Amino acid sequence: MDMQRVPYVSIARAGKTYASPRGAVPALVDITLDIQPGEFVSVVGPSGCGKSTLLKLVAGLEEATAGALQVAGRPLNGPPDNLGVVFQRDVLLDWRTILDNVLLSIEFLGRPRAKYRDGALALLNRFGLGGFEHRFPWELSGGMRQRASICRALLSDPELLLMDEPFGALDAMTRDDLNIELARIWQETRKTLLFITHSIAEAVFLSDRVVMMGKAPGMIVDIIDIDLPRPRSLASRESSEFIRYVSRIRHHFAELGIVKE
Ligand code: ADP
Ligand code: MG
């Protein structure tokens, strides 16, 4: 069997219905999506359409109530090994230094901290946090905290990276910087990436494919291949091809009544 052709993430007719005191909440309906090894896939959709639920299913943090999921060719049974996750709100611990926060992922895996200390410092440097390793999260800006969260997710060198609106709370300029840094890291490491965002432009800029989700209950309404050359720079966002992808997706959302024209 040609291993390259086995999707890294395979989601087959997956559904998720939450039980709540007000009754059953259908969050995802009939989701089918394969992500190839080393592919960058973004999911865009309106608030409440089930994006975070989808990410939690792949992360093994929630269980699907229908269908099946596989990661690295194995059925999911709890969080897969070799996974890095970054959430919109950084989950840094306020009583730990930045370095100790980054090393937390290694502690969770039960690996020796000492072996990863140099790697953690190198990653912090790489993300412009050199010299901040002994500071505490509350001493850093939102952008710096999110950079530290990304370092933490990358430290164990996971094959799969899941990011849930990681730049959603940042100002536009910091967000642009982090888009460039993430594109560069992905280009170098070719991790399989599932990226969730509200921003159509961010999705087009970063991705090989953009998955569009409709209004709740979450369904996939379209999947668009982004054939823009790489590496991409902020200038790529001014190209006519880029603008065409963004407007095509926006028009489709407008037709669905999700955004206004
Ligand atoms: P998104 O990330 O796209 O904003 P979510 O995946 O967070 O959407 O939520 C999808 C739907 O599922 C929403 O209606 C939300 O209220 C509901 N939901 C999410 N988590 C739970 C939960 N733990 N219990 C009950 N309902 C939930
Ligand atoms: Mg969400």
Side-chain angles (χ1 to χ4, degrees), residues 48 50-53 88 164-165 196:
K51 301 181 298 298
S52 294
T53 300
Q88 175 170 2
D164 191 354
E165 304 200 39
I196 290 182

Side-chain angles (χ1 to χ4, degrees), residues 31-261:
I31 299 287
T32 294
L33 176 69
D34 282 350
I35 306 176
Q36 300 306 319
E39 192 182 18
F40 197 126
V41 172
S42 289
V43 177
V44 271
S47 227
C49 76
K51 301 181 298 298
S52 294
T53 300
L54 180 62
L55 181 129
K56 284 179 200 154
L57 292 190
V58 176
L61 297 171
E62 291 279 1
E63 218 176 315
T65 46
L69 283 95
Q70 293 202 343
V71 171
R74 287 182 298 273
L76 262 187
N77 180 18
D81 310 332
N82 233 359
L83 171 74
V85 190
V86 181
F87 296 101
Q88 175 170 2
R89 283 210 38 224
D90 64 77
V91 275
L92 301 176
L93 302 176
D94 260 340
W95 61 91
R96 282 185 159 226
T97 64
I98 293 302
L99 178 62
D100 283 341
N101 263 292
V102 171
L103 285 165
L104 197 63
S105 54
I106 292 305
E107 290 172 36
F108 277 142
L109 291 169
R111 297 191 197 162
R113 270 173 59 101
K115 250 183 83 177
Y116 285 87
R117 198 172 182 277
D118 289 348
L121 291 170
L123 267 174
L124 286 169
N125 256 317
R126 160 100 221 233
F127 277 87
L129 292 172
F132 289 91
E133 57 271 20
H134 300 306
R135 302 288 195 89
F136 289 90
W138 40 269
E139 297 181 273
L140 270 56
S141 69
M144 293 164 94
R145 293 170 64 114
Q146 211 50 314
R147 286 189 169 91
S149 305
I150 295 171
C151 291
R152 174 158 75 189
L154 289 173
L155 184 58
S156 66
D157 198 21
E159 287 169 350
L160 176 62
L161 203 54
L162 307 179
M163 303 179 101
D164 191 354
E165 304 200 39
F167 311 139
L170 305 179
D171 63 88
M173 276 195 269
T174 306
R175 190 168 186 155
D176 285 350
D177 286 347
L178 280 165
N179 271 292
I180 294 286
E181 286 173 36
L182 179 62
R184 203 174 291 148
I185 280 278
W186 175 81
Q187 188 97 21
E188 282 169 22
T189 59
R190 287 307 172 118
K191 296 189 181 307
T192 307
L193 228 148
L194 177 61
F195 185 90
I196 290 182
T197 179
H198 258 107
S199 160
I200 297 170
E202 184 171 80
V204 171
F205 177 71
L206 290 168
S207 312
D208 296 318
R209 281 192 298 156
V210 174
V211 175
M212 290 176 61
M213 287 182 70
K215 282 184 189 163
M219 276 187 266
I220 292 177
V221 293
D222 202 359
I223 300 180
I224 296 116
D225 286 309
I226 308 297
D227 286 319
L228 293 171
R230 292 188 187 267
R232 298 175 189 164
S233 65
L234 286 184
S236 326
R237 298 205 305 209
E238 285 153 24
S239 74
S240 52
E241 299 96 310
F242 181 90
I243 291 164
R244 217 166 315 141
Y245 279 121
V246 171
S247 50
R248 174 177 156 197
I249 295 170
R250 188 173 301 123
H251 284 317
H252 196 163
F253 276 131
E255 276 166 23
L256 296 167
I258 289 167
V259 298
K260 292 198 180 74
E261 286 272 27

